[in-house]
Amino acid sequence: NNPFEYWITYKENPAYEKLMIDVENFLESPGDNDVPVSKVFTDDMFAKLEKRMDKDAGWDNVRSYWEKDFKDRKIISQFMKDPLLG
């Protein structure tokens, strides 16, 4: 489920509609803001997530995916829009 795929227009809230249009425009043309994932989701954030994934879900060995694949991808064009990630 992509939270940006569907949105409702509220006539009584034009600011919401503007926000959603701006989000759509950004996703379509991020320009210089198409930064590496690690600039938005930092190594410290990953370390906290990794601890929870190992403790709560039993997923160890996710660090290699982060370091070798995900952290250096461009956040929109190579991560959010990657069809293999869903």
Side-chain angles (χ1 to χ4, degrees), residues 56-70:
D56 297 338
W59 290 2
D60 54 2
N61 297 329
V62 294
R63 180 163 290 279
S64 63
Y65 293 103
W66 171 246
E67 291 179 351
K68 294 178 183 175
D69 189 11
F70 297 120

Side-chain angles (χ1 to χ4, degrees), residues 11-12 29 32 42 56 58 61 70 77 82 84:
K11 292 180 182 176
E12 63 276 1
S29 301
D32 291 339
T42 65
D56 297 338
N61 297 329
F70 297 120
S77 62
D82 183 332
L84 296 177

Side-chain angles (χ1 to χ4, degrees), residues 6-83:
Y6 303 101
W7 53 278
I8 299 170
T9 301
Y10 291 109
K11 292 180 182 176
E12 63 276 1
N13 191 344
Y16 173 78
E17 184 172 5
K18 181 181 179 334
L19 171 67
M20 294 309 293
I21 289 169
D22 289 347
V23 167
E24 179 181 25
N25 289 336
F26 170 69
L27 292 174
E28 290 301 317
S29 301
D32 291 339
N33 291 317
D34 197 6
V35 297
V37 171
S38 60
K39 188 167 181 176
V40 176
F41 189 79
T42 65
D43 285 323
D44 287 341
M45 294 166 112
F46 175 78
K48 289 177 185 176
L49 175 63
E50 180 182 38
K51 283 181 186 177
R52 295 213 46 197
M53 291 173 77
D54 187 32
K55 178 184 168 196
D56 297 338
W59 290 2
D60 54 2
N61 297 329
V62 294
R63 180 163 290 279
S64 63
Y65 293 103
W66 171 246
E67 291 179 351
K68 294 178 183 175
D69 189 11
F70 297 120
K71 79 182 225 173
D72 294 322
R73 287 183 182 208
K74 298 287 186 179
I75 197 159
I76 302 299
S77 62
Q78 298 172 340
F79 187 78
M80 294 279 294
K81 290 187 174 183
D82 183 332

